[in-house]
Amino acid sequence: MTPLISHEIRLAARPAGRPTAENFSLAQIPVGSPDEGQVLVRNLFMSVDPYMRGRMNDTASYVAPFGLDQPLEGGAVGEVLESRASALRPGDAVLSNYGWREYFVAPGSELRRVSREFQPLSLYLGALGMPGMTAWVGWQLVGVNAGETAFVSGAAGAVGHVAGQLARLYGCRVVGSAGSAAKVRFLLEECGFDSAFNYKDGPILDQLTSAAPDGIDVYFDNVAGEALEAALSALRLHGRIVACGGISMYNDPKRRRGPSNLFNVTTKRLTMRGLIVSDWFERRAEFEQEVGGYLRAGTLKSRETVVSGIDQAVPAFMGLFDGTNVGKMIVRLA
């Protein structure tokens, strides 16, 4: 029987600064039949996410670095083609960490079956997946209250556009920053933000002060850098910060100096909490029930930027750092 052929993306060399196409390679491999307890899966969609840039460095972090000349990993949703695992059947939709490839064989215990109620299935990589749960967890972590003002940076991205909408659902006034006029319109017209601005149009603090002249109560940080410094100035007494990401610095070969006004944490008695979503996976059912309910009711909008083909996975990943995506960046594989 002719073996199934799969294409996969491998890390060819560790980036020094911004990744380039030369840091990756496209390999073609045969995929066999599953052994006892395993399943054969065809990936339908895969995720590219900013955190993957950190895994391309050979440094210790909260997750192991990618191996050289090994397939990359990441979220993917696929369909079981063949199963020798009792809990899974052909046709089941499954969520895995076997992204960056078209087909794979893996133990059934490493996969999670998901409902086909939500369409497209790529929602499990976005608003109903890791980015959406990250947004939900951030507000659980620091608490948000009706009547407060929340500021979200990177607000048109996979995490940010969900975080802002959740804050609105919780009764907050929401301000967002994004990198283009089109993204600002998306935040205002589709996501229901109360105010939004293009951080490229001028100093972030000036624009944030104009949008929230009385200050902000909570800041969801996806960017770090200038946005964090502006938030530290705008936060009111006893304000809170969700330290989720720092995409403005991910490709810097050298460390930047921290915010010049970090002492505001002391003088304003601020709370800053770091967030790694995997620490909260035991509450995934609670997240899915709440956010799934908003999606069913249409009170939370999910936006995706979709490209097609495994050969477009690397350009899609690099596009995250150019801001080419609105909402979640998704690669369609089948």
Side-chain angles (χ1 to χ4, degrees):
M1 184 175 179
T2 303
L4 192 64
I5 299 300
S6 177
H7 295 87
E8 63 184 26
I9 303 293
R10 298 179 178 180
L11 185 65
R14 300 198 184 279
R18 188 183 184 84
T20 67
E22 288 69 34
N23 295 122
F24 307 90
S25 64
L26 179 64
Q28 182 175 289
I29 63 165
V31 179
S33 295
D35 292 329
E36 187 64 32
Q38 294 183 324
V39 294
L40 168 64
V41 176
R42 174 181 62 184
N43 275 334
L44 303 176
F45 301 97
M46 58 162 274
S47 176
V48 291
D49 300 283
Y51 83 87
M52 295 173 176
R53 175 61 187 86
R55 294 193 67 186
M56 294 173 187
N57 299 329
D58 190 14
T59 55
S61 186
Y62 64 92
V63 63
F66 292 130
L68 285 176
D69 300 316
Q70 299 296 317
L72 298 170
E73 299 172 351
V77 62
E79 181 179 40
V80 174
L81 298 182
E82 186 179 348
S83 176
R84 296 189 63 190
S86 59
L88 295 170
R89 296 179 296 177
D92 283 347
V94 291
L95 192 64
S96 79
N97 200 41
Y98 287 89
W100 295 89
R101 67 204 80 188
E102 295 172 315
Y103 299 87
F104 67 90
V105 172
S109 58
E110 295 182 4
L111 312 179
R112 189 166 72 92
R113 184 170 52 193
V114 294
S115 170
R116 290 184 180 270
E117 172 195 358
F118 291 99
Q119 294 290 331
L121 288 171
S122 51
L123 276 171
Y124 289 103
L125 303 176
L128 203 56
M130 181 271 289
M133 187 170 182
T134 299
W136 180 83
V137 166
W139 298 136
Q140 303 297 312
L141 191 66
V142 301
V144 286
N145 304 302
E148 292 187 319
T149 297
F151 171 44
V152 181
S153 60
V159 174
H161 85 292
V162 177
Q165 291 181 81
L166 289 178
R168 282 284 291 154
L169 288 165
Y170 298 153
C172 294
R173 180 176 183 272
V174 181
V175 178
S177 64
S180 72
K183 290 182 177 182
V184 168
R185 287 195 299 273
F186 163 67
L187 296 176
L188 295 172
E189 297 172 6
E190 295 188 39
C191 297
F193 281 52
D194 297 279
S195 183
F197 60 86
N198 182 350
Y199 68 86
K200 297 177 182 177
D201 285 348
I204 294 176
L205 180 57
D206 291 351
Q207 296 192 78
L208 179 57
T209 300
S210 177
D214 296 325
I216 61 175
D217 299 289
V218 62
Y219 170 47
F220 199 114
D221 188 17
N222 292 304
V223 173
E226 183 188 353
L228 173 58
E229 189 162 299
L232 285 166
S233 291
L235 279 158
R236 294 195 275 249
L237 197 66
H238 301 298
R240 292 96 67 207
I241 300 170
V242 181
C244 176
I247 195 171
S248 70
M249 305 186 298
Y250 287 168
N251 292 313
D252 284 0
K254 296 182 179 179
R255 293 183 181 273
R256 293 188 195 179
R257 294 184 64 86
S260 63
N261 57 348
L262 190 60
F263 195 60
N264 283 0
V265 172
T266 300
T267 59
K268 295 183 179 183
R269 282 82 91 194
L270 305 178
T271 298
M272 186 172 185
R273 299 289 302 274
L275 163 59
I276 301 296
V277 69
S278 57
D279 294 343
W280 291 68
F281 279 170
E282 73 278 1
R283 293 183 64 181
R284 183 155 43 194
E286 182 182 348
F287 152 72
E288 290 179 346
Q289 181 177 7
E290 180 179 336
V291 174
Y294 297 144
L295 289 168
R296 289 188 194 94
T299 53
L300 189 146
K301 310 295 183 184
S302 173
R303 172 68 80 91
E304 297 176 348
T305 298
V306 181
V307 302
S308 295
I310 191 71
D311 60 321
Q312 294 304 305
V314 170
F317 171 71
M318 294 191 294
L320 295 173
F321 303 102
D322 295 323
T324 59
N325 61 301
V326 178
K328 181 74 186 79
M329 182 73 89
I330 294 289
V331 181
R332 185 194 306 273
L333 297 178

